[in-house]
Amino acid sequence: MKDKLKIGITCYPTLGGSGVVATELGKLLAEKGHEVHFITHSMPFRLGKFHRNIYYHEVEVSDYYVFRYPPYDLSLASKLAQVAQMQGLDLLHVHYAIPHAVCALLAKQMVGSQLKVVTTLHGTDITVLAQDHSISDLIRYAINESDAVTAVSNDLIEETRETLDISREIDLTYNFVDKRVYYPRSVETLRKEFARDDEKILLHISNFRPVKRVLDVVDVFERVSKDVPSRLLFVGEGPELSKVISHVKELGLSDRVTFCGKQDDVAQLISLGDVMLLPSEKESFGLVALEAMACGVPTVGSQAGGIPELITHGETGFLTEIGDTERMAEHVRELLTNDQLYEQMSAACLNRARTTFCNDRITMQYEEIYYRVLGREIPESHRIEKAQCEVD
Ligand code: GMT
């Protein structure tokens, strides 16, 4: 029996942490020798250059004139079935229940039950969409009918069970980052372009959706900058951006705040920062805080959703009630004015990112799930050495 699998991956390719996790997972699986087929409406933005064992299949939507709403979901289901048949895929790993898991289940019906479906829940499919009764039954169906379901935090597993009254097994698969990309970079020269030597840098990276509470970031910075010489760097774009720019102006902070827009080399920018701010209202995991952690940068944020599973309060950052910007600012001040505390936290961040959230371990967890749904044990050659997830 062959050791290597043929895996189809579908995700939202152009935005957000779920697309990043799906793409990075695909790259790591391909490095381990599996054949990975991305089936998406455009090239996943982190895929970039050519990778051995990775193939890309674009979903094209029919523009037939009677369609008032071109049926993307049907085109995706049809493409998933075609690729599965032509390439002999063992399984489809889809990120997000709606529409991806539903499309994968339809493809499975077309191809036959030997094709397995693994669904990963990332958050808003449960925390937002599943609250909508017009669609919640479909989400429940997609979850119950998948051969395996994973979620990115215990909090999300609990919320899925409660919101949708689901009792099936859901595997926990935390987000991860590639340790070869996310590590403390040397950025002394670049840093001079953003701040003086005596200034600290606060950082926020997101898609500026309302759930991110980006205005809180500005309020925290305003409080901190009264006592600590500092700058604020924003990375990303989204619906709240113009409100945030106005708020920065109103508070007279424009000369100390930089908006970098969307950026690719996030590890470089994170390494410029002294503290990451993540005051979200909802966050099933908070990939950006893990990216910061892996670069040795502590996060100050809210206790929302799965964030406390990632950040241990007082060890790898500080967490407060959602919206408590005064307390967040106190924690940032404490961190930025106490060198010993900072060094300790930064070291704890590196340690935790490289052990608990080690990319080798989490990739292997996904592989174990794949082999399980196929009725097999993970081959010994795919098990990782313990040392791969220890601190060097
Ligand atoms: O946070 C977003 O707005 C993007 C969203 C996505 O769809 O990519 O992120 C979700 O999935 C990430 C990867 O698993 C998680 O790290 C984020 O916490 C989660 N976002 C929310 O729950 C709001």
Side-chain angles (χ1 to χ4, degrees), residues 22 34 50 57 74-75 91-92 144 176 192 208 228 257 292 296 303 307 322-326 379 383-384:
H34 299 295
F50 168 79
H57 309 268
L74 296 184
S75 301
L91 62 101
L92 298 171
N144 281 333
F176 60 89
K192 291 189 192 311
F208 287 66
V228 183
V257 178
Q303 289 156 349
I307 298 178
I322 296 166
D324 190 347
T325 53
E326 194 177 333
R383 290 195 185 281
I384 59 162

Side-chain angles (χ1 to χ4, degrees), residues 15-19 21 96 122-124 152 175 207 209 211-212 282-287:
L15 82 178
S18 60
V21 167
Y96 267 102
H122 284 275
T124 42
V152 298
N175 286 179
N207 51 19
R209 288 199 297 144
V211 285
K212 303 291 175 184
K282 285 185 193 302
E283 202 68 70
S284 64
F285 183 86
L287 178 62

Side-chain angles (χ1 to χ4, degrees), residues 16 28 45 48 68 73 87 108 115-116 141 150-151 181 206-207 256 277 287 321 328 332:
L28 292 166
F45 71 106
R68 179 157 175 210
D73 305 353
Q87 306 292 339
K108 176 176 173 159
L115 178 68
K116 303 299 176 193
Y141 170 82
T150 87
V181 178
S206 77
N207 51 19
R256 274 177 288 156
L277 298 177
L287 178 62
E321 297 279 312
M328 283 182 206
V332 175

Side-chain angles (χ1 to χ4, degrees), residues 107-120:
K108 176 176 173 159
Q109 282 198 10
M110 293 164 73
V111 172
S113 60
Q114 74 281 5
L115 178 68
K116 303 299 176 193
V117 174
V118 176
T119 297
T120 293

